[in-house]
Amino acid sequence: MNDTMSRFRTMTGHRLFWPAAVLFAMLAANTIYRPGFLSIELKDGHLYGTPIDILRLSAPLILVALGMTLVISTGGIDLSVGSLCAISGAIACMYISKQPDQNSLGVVVTALALAMGVSLVLGAWNGVLVAVIGIQPIIATLILMVAGRGLAQLITEGQIITINSEPYRAIGLGHALTLPLAIFIALAAALLVAAFTRRTALGMIIESVGGNSVASRLAGIRSSRVIFLAYVISAACAAVAGFMMTANVSSADGNAAGLWVELDAILAVVIGGTSLAGGRFFLSGTIIGALIIQTLTTTVYAMDISPQTSLLFKAVVVIAVCLIQAPAFRARFSRRRRNVPPPAPVADKPKEQVPA
């Protein structure tokens, strides 16, 4: 019995247990409510079904959350990722729309390279404000969050830019090996970030900067360069996510593309176990957090919850998820459940008489 309880405590103490348990519980609840929720079928060589849709729709959020994880682990935050999604999508769609042959692969590659280049410059701008000038990250990225949305509308001239490009559309809706291409793009990005942060010293350096930037600087680590790099990577991830968002609808809307995705990304990072104070980060937890958020969104639609109450429903579920995985809350709840009586006070020993 003791061995079983010890194994259970070890399992529940793992950082991925509670996020994975919440995801499993949500899938189980959806299956009970709608028995065909997990059904997958093969049509025309492509897999279709709600689980596939959840993975495909989670891809942009996973990309943004991966970059956000690195930024948060340095002790910062990036509120501009939503605007960067809108800017990258607007530049790509605007360039493609002005070309005579929108289905040309060269045109699409040029559009993607141009949009990525601008996004990297904007990410470097965030990095300079935070790492070089020393502005607080929330203020520095708030500047681009507001100005970037206006820049996206300036690029599109306040209009919704529609395109008819199959190569660009494939980024969001294409298929490869029976699965949506967006899933492979998100998977490749996750593996690439994991390879650079877990197979090299980069991950340890980022965690050290977020844990104690002064100590890491005294140890010889150039903290400003690490922080600068984190914001550039975050911008690159947001740019690819912007390509997916606009490719899904074959259009670019500077006002709506990527709106509030920064909040979902921060939430996915926190659910995954990364502290907002910086330090250790968990990429696998971030991916599970993004899947939880998308599954929750799908649940809201599947249960026909009215739009007026959907945000409240999501907020309640998110609060419950954060409380469940909080060690302090679980420890307090466990003590109350066991109802262990407080220890009896120890009586003071009588002082020994010292002979005269």
Side-chain angles (χ1 to χ4, degrees), residues 26-48:
M26 293 176 63
L27 294 175
N30 278 283
T31 304
I32 294 173
Y33 179 79
R34 194 175 65 180
F37 183 82
L38 295 179
S39 61
I40 299 176
E41 57 183 351
L42 183 65
K43 288 183 179 180
D44 300 328
H46 302 153
L47 290 176
Y48 294 95

Side-chain angles (χ1 to χ4, degrees), residues 72-98:
I72 289 178
S73 65
T74 64
I77 201 164
D78 191 353
L79 298 180
S80 65
V81 288
S83 297
L84 285 171
C85 290
I87 291 172
S88 64
I91 293 175
C93 289
M94 177 60 73
Y95 181 84
I96 294 174
S97 67
K98 294 184 178 299

Side-chain angles (χ1 to χ4, degrees), residues 5-325:
M5 291 300 297
S6 177
R7 291 177 182 176
F8 179 75
R9 290 194 186 96
T10 302
M11 181 176 63
T12 56
H14 194 276
R15 55 183 173 80
L16 294 181
F17 175 80
W18 290 108
V22 170
L23 179 60
F24 177 79
M26 293 176 63
L27 294 175
N30 278 283
T31 304
I32 294 173
Y33 179 79
R34 194 175 65 180
F37 183 82
L38 295 179
S39 61
I40 299 176
E41 57 183 351
L42 183 65
K43 288 183 179 180
D44 300 328
H46 302 153
L47 290 176
Y48 294 95
T50 304
I52 303 298
D53 290 337
I54 291 175
L55 292 175
R56 180 179 64 84
L57 296 174
S58 297
L61 180 56
I62 290 174
L63 285 168
V64 176
L66 287 173
M68 187 71 74
T69 301
L70 300 182
V71 171
I72 289 178
S73 65
T74 64
I77 201 164
D78 191 353
L79 298 180
S80 65
V81 288
S83 297
L84 285 171
C85 290
I87 291 172
S88 64
I91 293 175
C93 289
M94 177 60 73
Y95 181 84
I96 294 174
S97 67
K98 294 184 178 299
Q99 304 304 313
D101 184 10
Q102 297 187 10
N103 290 314
S104 171
L105 184 60
V107 168
V108 173
V109 172
T110 303
L112 296 179
L114 181 62
M116 178 61 74
V118 174
S119 298
L120 292 177
V121 170
L122 294 176
W125 165 259
N126 283 335
V128 169
L129 291 181
V130 176
V132 179
I133 300 179
I135 300 177
Q136 288 292 328
I138 192 171
I139 301 299
T141 57
L142 183 63
I143 295 172
L144 186 57
M145 175 185 176
V146 177
R149 189 65 62 176
L151 179 60
Q153 297 223 35
L154 185 64
I155 294 171
T156 61
E157 299 178 351
Q159 305 294 322
I160 298 178
I161 306 300
T162 59
I163 59 175
N164 186 19
S165 174
E166 287 300 323
Y168 189 79
R169 185 174 178 270
I171 298 175
L173 300 176
H175 285 77
L177 301 177
T178 72
L179 290 174
L181 183 61
I183 297 177
F184 291 103
I185 295 176
L187 179 61
L191 293 176
L192 187 62
V193 174
F196 277 103
T197 57
R198 296 309 183 195
R199 297 299 180 183
T200 67
L202 179 61
M204 186 180 299
I205 293 173
I206 291 175
E207 291 177 346
S208 66
V209 170
N212 192 325
S213 60
V214 176
S216 61
R217 186 170 64 252
L218 293 176
I221 298 174
R222 297 186 177 181
S223 303
S224 59
R225 291 189 178 183
V226 176
I227 295 173
F228 177 86
L229 179 62
Y231 283 95
V232 172
I233 294 175
S234 177
C237 292
V240 179
F243 299 152
M244 287 186 184
M245 294 174 184
T246 52
N248 283 333
V249 293
S250 294
S251 63
D253 185 354
N255 186 44
L259 190 63
W260 308 127
V261 72
E262 59 272 5
L263 302 183
D264 284 342
I266 295 171
L267 188 57
V269 174
V270 173
I271 291 176
T274 301
S275 172
L276 287 175
R280 293 197 65 189
F281 63 91
F282 309 102
L283 297 176
S284 53
T286 296
I287 295 174
I288 294 177
L291 291 174
I292 288 176
I293 294 174
Q294 184 56 51
T295 304
L296 182 57
T297 303
T298 304
T299 301
V300 169
Y301 295 147
M303 293 185 175
D304 295 328
I305 298 176
S306 63
Q308 293 79 9
T309 58
S310 61
L311 295 177
L312 178 61
F313 175 79
K314 291 177 67 174
V316 171
V317 174
V318 167
I319 291 173
V321 171
C322 293
L323 287 177
I324 287 173
Q325 69 170 356

